[in-house]
């Protein structure tokens, strides 16, 4: 077994069109890595959502195998049993779990889902799902005190990224990022490691909060002093990466990756309003103003389906004998599901144009389906539109997110860059790869074969 050093810098939501093309020459440290190694667009998992995507990347298994389909999973078939996913939901071994079995030390920072912290051979700081610093958030537990003596109050995330107070938010994100990279520098200089991985959530927050200021094609675009906020933030991150790499041995193999990309958000499609109009969802009383849909509002005996909001749509069918007050007989389940797919694909936008909506069944996309997935996954407008779960709007299309200001939606492709930490012949752009290729590629750096069940392939570096 080889004992190389491998460093993975994860930039949640980093967008390939910005890094590889638009701002390539303005990001000297990322450009240097691209010119010394390889880079590629990296297809995310389905759905391209932070928690399942990082879990999938670090295990080499798809969300169906993991049984993790978003930030929230159905815990049972009861209508109200929706649970926030945390590290206890991740039962498959991660890269660092496998390296630990070979006696290799890891430093893990902020990789979702890693709260509550699990034991690791090395050191771990939990992810943005951590409630606050009052709970144990490191492994070992004593690391938190050591860390804060060095960098001050550690930051898991910004308090609220959907806000109109963008000046405060901008400073908050930049400060969080500086603290997190300061923590990374201290860890790699003071703790033993063969494998280091960190995830910076700030890129994602910047895209959601500032994309519409940057993108002149955005429906909410207007002249703003924050037009270059995302660009300036990418330059900040590039500088932090440069400082980090200056502390790392030249023989280290470096990876810079993102779990998914980003694109402008053209609006929100009200999934439950549509189900009501089609006669599939009945409420006891139609609300007079927009409110989140809660189970107590639904007339379940006359409801066939309901949905959830988010960057993608999740639709659940009220199946007789499965849900507490199911109405759709199991014998009619597939024909009803197929009818919904046809109807959803025929949806139009607020101008009457085809919405180009993608719909898939879990069993058609995953090698295995664990836990309780939605009956249908929906990408409204090919992910240019988000799913709006609230009701009481009186219309199907919204220009804005119902949970607060948001200018971006997730896109299918993230970034992949890999290079040695020294100048070398390179600069090759690879064909599109898949994020499940990352885990077997990292293991290959240590001479360890992929684990049975991993779907990815070793990427030629």
């Amino acid at each position: 077994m080889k004992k190389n050093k491998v460093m993975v810098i994860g930039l949640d939501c980093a967008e390939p069109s910005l890094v590889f093309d638009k701002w390539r020459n303005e990001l000297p440290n990322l450009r240097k890595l691209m010119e010394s190694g390889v880079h590629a667009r990296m297809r995310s998992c389905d759905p391209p959502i932070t928690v399942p995507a990082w879990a999938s990347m670090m295990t080499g298994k798809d969300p169906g195998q993991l049984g993790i389909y978003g930030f929230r999973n159905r815990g049972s078939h009861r209508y109200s049993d929706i649970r926030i996913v945390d590290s206890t939901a991740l039962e498959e071994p991660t890269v660092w779990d496998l390296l630990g079995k070979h006696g290799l030390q890891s430093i893990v920072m902020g990789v979702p889902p890693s709260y509550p912290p699990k034991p690791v051979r090395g050191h771990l700081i939990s992810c943005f799902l951590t409630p606050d610093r009052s709970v144990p958030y490191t492994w070992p537990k004593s690391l938190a005190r050591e860390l804060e003596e060095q960098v001050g109050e550690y930051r898991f995330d910004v308090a609220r990224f959907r806000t109109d107070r963008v000046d405060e938010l901008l400073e908050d994100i930049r400060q969080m990022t500086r603290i997190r990279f300061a923590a990374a520098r201290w860890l790699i200089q003071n703790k033993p490691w063969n494998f280091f991985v960190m995830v910076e959530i700030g890129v994602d927050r910047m895209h959601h909060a500032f994309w519409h200021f940057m993108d002149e094609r955005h429906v909410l675009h207007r002249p703003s002093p924050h037009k270059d906020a995302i660009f300036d933030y990418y330059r900040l991150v590039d500088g932090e990466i440069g400082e980090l790499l200056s502390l790392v041995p030249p023989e280290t193999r470096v990876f810079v990756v993102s779990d998914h990309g980003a694109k402008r958000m053209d609006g929100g499609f009200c999934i439950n309003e549509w189900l009501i109009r089609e006669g599939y969802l009945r409420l006891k009383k139609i609300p007079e103003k927009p409110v989140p849909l809660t189970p107590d509002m639904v007339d379940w005996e006359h409801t066939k389906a309901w949905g959830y909001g988010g960057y993608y749509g999740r639709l659940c069918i009220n199946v007789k004998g499965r849900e507490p007050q199911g109405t759709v007989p199991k014998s009619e389940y597939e024909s009803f599901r197929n009818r919904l797919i046809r109807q959803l694909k025929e949806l139009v936008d607020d101008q009457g144009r085809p919405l180009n909506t993608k719909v898939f069944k879990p069993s058609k996309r995953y090698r295995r389906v664990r836990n309780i997935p939605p009956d249908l996954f929906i990408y409204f407008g090919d992910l240019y539109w988000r799913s709006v779960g609230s009701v009481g709007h009186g219309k199907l299309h919204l220009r804005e997110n119902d949970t607060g200001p948001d200018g971006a939606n997730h896109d299918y492709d993230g970034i992949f860059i890999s290079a040695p930490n020294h100048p070398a012949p390179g600069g090759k752009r690879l064909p599109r790869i898949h994020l499940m290729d990352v885990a077997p590629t990292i293991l290959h750096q240590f001479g360890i074969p992929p684990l049975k069940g991993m779907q990815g392939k070793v990427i030629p570096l």
Side-chain angles (χ1 to χ4, degrees), residues 272-273 276 281-294 297-298 389-395:
N272 286 316
E273 294 278 359
I276 291 170
L281 170 62
R282 182 182 292 183
L283 302 187
K284 296 171 184 172
K285 181 182 178 184
I286 299 296
E288 295 178 357
K289 61 181 183 179
V291 293
L293 179 70
T294 54
M297 297 165 63
V298 179
S390 51
V391 291
H393 297 281
K395 55 185 178 180

Side-chain angles (χ1 to χ4, degrees), residues 219 264 266-270 274 277 343-357 380-382 384-386 395-399:
V219 292
R264 72 176 189 273
D266 287 345
F269 186 84
C270 301
W274 179 77
R277 288 194 186 190
Q343 289 184 272
L344 287 163
K345 286 184 175 180
E346 292 171 356
L347 292 174
V348 296
D349 68 12
D350 51 348
Q351 304 298 313
R353 300 168 297 196
L355 200 52
N356 192 21
T357 292
F380 289 113
D382 200 19
Y384 280 105
W385 290 69
R386 69 174 280 123
K395 55 185 178 180
L396 300 183
H397 305 90
L398 301 180
R399 281 300 181 202

Side-chain angles (χ1 to χ4, degrees), residues 161 204-212 311 405-410:
F161 66 93
D204 180 90
R205 299 330 190 200
M206 287 296 300
H207 285 168
H208 289 298
F210 294 95
W211 193 280
H212 53 300
Y311 299 124
D406 195 335
N409 209 16
H410 291 186

Side-chain angles (χ1 to χ4, degrees), residues 12 173 176-177 180 200-207 233:
D12 196 288
I173 295 173
M176 172 186 71
T177 299
R180 210 191 301 274
E200 172 53 56
I201 196 72
V203 187
D204 180 90
R205 299 330 190 200
M206 287 296 300
H207 285 168
Y233 179 79

Side-chain angles (χ1 to χ4, degrees), residues 31-38 253 418-420 422-428:
R31 187 186 71 226
K32 192 183 303 179
L33 290 172
M34 285 188 266
E35 292 175 349
S36 298
V38 299
R253 169 56 67 166
S418 181
H422 60 78
K428 187 176 181 182

Side-chain angles (χ1 to χ4, degrees), residues 358-418:
K358 315 291 185 188
V359 191
F360 67 89
K361 302 174 183 178
S363 60
K364 298 291 186 183
R365 194 57 55 99
Y366 303 132
R367 179 175 288 187
R368 181 186 173 200
V369 178
R370 291 181 54 205
N371 296 335
I372 304 175
D375 293 289
L376 291 175
F377 289 86
I378 309 162
Y379 299 158
F380 289 113
D382 200 19
L383 289 176
Y384 280 105
W385 290 69
R386 69 174 280 123
S387 175
V388 171
S390 51
V391 291
H393 297 281
K395 55 185 178 180
L396 300 183
H397 305 90
L398 301 180
R399 281 300 181 202
E400 297 183 342
N401 184 354
D402 62 334
T403 59
D406 195 335
N409 209 16
H410 291 186
D411 204 359
Y412 303 103
D413 286 359
I415 66 169
F416 175 87
I417 303 170
S418 181

Side-chain angles (χ1 to χ4, degrees), residues 410-451:
H410 291 186
D411 204 359
Y412 303 103
D413 286 359
I415 66 169
F416 175 87
I417 303 170
S418 181
N421 190 30
H422 60 78
K428 187 176 181 182
R429 188 161 183 164
L430 302 176
R432 188 194 210 191
I433 61 173
H434 196 283
L435 100 176
M436 284 190 291
D437 296 334
V438 172
T441 303
I442 292 171
L443 294 176
H444 183 72
Q445 291 297 308
F446 294 99
I448 299 172
L451 188 69

Side-chain angles (χ1 to χ4, degrees), residues 43-93:
R43 176 62 160 88
S44 187
C45 64
D46 290 297
I49 298 297
T50 292
V51 173
W54 287 112
S56 194
M57 191 192 305
M58 290 297 143
T59 61
K61 298 183 179 179
D62 68 37
Q65 291 173 290
L66 302 176
I68 298 174
Y69 303 102
F71 286 94
R72 295 170 294 167
N73 264 8
R74 294 187 75 184
S76 69
H77 285 106
R78 296 196 306 274
Y79 304 117
S80 59
D81 191 3
I82 300 294
R83 304 175 185 179
I84 300 292
V85 171
D86 64 20
S87 67
T88 62
L90 184 57
E91 298 175 355
E92 297 291 333

